[in-house]
Amino acid sequence: MRLMVIDALKELIVKMGGAASVDEIRADSIEECIELVTEAYQPPASGGNQSAS
């Protein structure tokens, strides 16, 4: 189960543009993968949290 979570996080990192391929990600723990996901996250440039009126 743990490896499935790590593999899924690695795929997410690639989709977010944090790596070119899953093979180049050297994270071996869920914590390391989450750190990479956080680094790869780019928030919307325009205030994405504004509510529509």
Side-chain angles (χ1 to χ4, degrees), residues 6 10 13 22 24-34 36:
I6 291 172
K10 287 182 178 182
I13 293 164
V22 172
E24 76 177 33
I25 301 170
R26 297 289 169 225
D28 294 323
S29 69
I30 293 172
E31 292 81 8
E32 288 175 307
C33 287
I34 290 173
L36 291 172

